[in-house]
Amino acid sequence: MTDHVSVLGLGAMGSALADALLKAGYETTVWNRTPGKAGDLVARGAREAGTAGEAVRAGGLVVACLLDHASVHEVFDPLAGELAGRTLVNVTTTSPAQSRELAEWAAKAGIAYLDGGIMAVPHMIGQEGSSILYSGSAEVFETYKPVLDRWGASTYFGEDAGLASLYDLALLAGMYVMFAGFVHGAAMVAPAGVSAREFAAMAKPWLSAMTGGFDGFAEVIDGGDYTVAGQQSLEFSNLNDLVAASADQGISTEVIGMVQTLIRRQIDAGHGAEGFARIFESIRQPA
Ligand code: FVH
């Protein structure tokens, strides 16, 4: 374990991570490419490094919270020698392939590497509801968990460094499709003079209650038997009424039409009597 952490990258998120470490009493060194972002952190006890190399050499755990995969290489490639024998936790958002590439790069350079995906916005860091996903070195995760836990609930997915990122992006995909569903509903009622705020008041409890259906869908998907009794059939929930009502309101049917396309593909393949979870097959096997 360490009581010293260096945070490289003081954007909104890097600053929040460094701040949480300072609050927890860790000796914290910070560095940012563009000077002038460390003032508040320094006032609260951080030490500002003049260069990325200085931050790496400060000792202890090195944390990267930069813009993207390219910026991680830009900062750390010239420092691979300095990082050898040290530990890098990279919470920059990268794709699974990019996370794996960075893990390979680190392994070649003798750097212990853990990849992270942050499921929080900066003001949530260190608060209830903040969740950070990790994969890569189990040893790094176990050793530094007390540090990582300062940012939010830490979950480890295994040695494949791409897994945390895959979960991160899959959860974000679910979120964006849900948001699009909410916005579609708001657009449907808008021509009737209903404000988005009024619609939100109805949508929040409804959509929250509907997440209770995830477990049932998951059981059917994992079991691989979409004929399980008690499900509403695809033919019954073919979404014709929803698409027609959207068109009648004069709005785009693209969002709801997308779901209907996934349903139709299964009906056309002879699975109309099976449950909604069957659209997993439409997604798994692109048309
Ligand atoms: N902010 C959020 O809500 C999300 C939540 C989920 C996870 N993300 C990811 O976290 C990474 C950092 O995000 P951020 O919000 O801190 O981003 P910015 O405020 O835009 O700061 C970016 C920092 O990266 C530095 N930087 C950019 N390019 C380079 C480079 N080539 N070399 C060195 N540093 C670079 C930038 O420095 P500067 O522009 O101030 O000089 C900032 O420190 C990110 O992956 C999110 O997807 C946050």
Side-chain angles (χ1 to χ4, degrees), residues 8-15 31-35 37 65-68 70-72 74-75 91-94 117-122 168:
L8 288 87
L10 298 180
M13 186 53 82
S15 298
W31 172 82
N32 195 63
R33 174 183 62 175
T34 308
K37 287 196 179 173
C65 187
L66 300 167
L67 183 67
D68 56 12
S71 53
V72 175
E74 200 171 310
V75 171
V91 292
T92 306
T93 301
T94 51
I118 302 177
M119 305 307 300
V121 291
D168 180 353

Side-chain angles (χ1 to χ4, degrees), residues 24-252:
Y26 287 97
E27 224 182 293
T28 308
T29 296
V30 294
W31 172 82
N32 195 63
R33 174 183 62 175
T34 308
K37 287 196 179 173
D40 287 352
L41 293 166
V42 169
R44 288 199 292 281
R47 188 179 149 259
E48 184 173 12
T51 63
E54 205 184 303
V56 167
R57 287 189 296 275
L61 176 65
V62 178
V63 174
C65 187
L66 300 167
L67 183 67
D68 56 12
H69 177 254
S71 53
V72 175
H73 271 302
E74 200 171 310
V75 171
F76 290 103
D77 280 358
L79 296 172
E82 309 255 23
L83 268 171
R86 298 182 193 270
T87 299
L88 174 63
V89 173
N90 176 33
V91 292
T92 306
T93 301
T94 51
S95 70
Q98 289 170 337
S99 300
R100 290 180 187 121
E101 187 280 328
L102 281 164
E104 277 172 31
W105 166 86
K108 276 187 199 137
I111 303 160
Y113 183 82
L114 184 69
D115 202 85
I118 302 177
M119 305 307 300
V121 291
H123 74 84
M124 289 168 68
I125 294 300
Q127 309 292 322
E128 185 89 10
S130 169
S131 155
I132 316 215
L133 319 178
Y134 296 97
S135 60
S137 165
E139 195 183 335
V140 171
F141 180 75
E142 287 308 328
T143 305
Y144 292 99
K145 194 169 178 298
V147 179
L148 310 178
D149 285 347
R150 296 297 175 172
W151 297 329
S154 312
T155 308
Y156 177 70
F157 291 97
E159 293 277 344
D160 172 359
L163 266 183
S165 160
L166 185 62
Y167 264 95
D168 180 353
L169 300 182
L171 289 166
L172 289 174
M175 180 193 79
Y176 276 110
V177 175
M178 179 190 70
F179 283 170
F182 163 71
V183 174
H184 178 87
M188 267 179 97
V189 294
V194 179
S195 70
R197 185 181 291 275
E198 285 171 301
F199 183 68
M202 297 303 295
K204 272 166 65 179
W206 167 248
L207 292 176
S208 298
M210 287 302 98
T211 61
F214 290 175
D215 291 336
F217 289 142
E219 208 177 315
V220 172
I221 291 167
D222 289 343
D225 178 9
Y226 300 101
T227 65
V228 173
Q231 301 180 83
Q232 197 165 283
S233 75
L234 286 172
E235 265 148 6
F236 181 82
S237 46
N238 62 18
L239 309 193
N240 284 344
D241 291 345
L242 278 66
V243 172
S246 300
D248 287 348
Q249 293 297 91
I251 68 162
S252 161

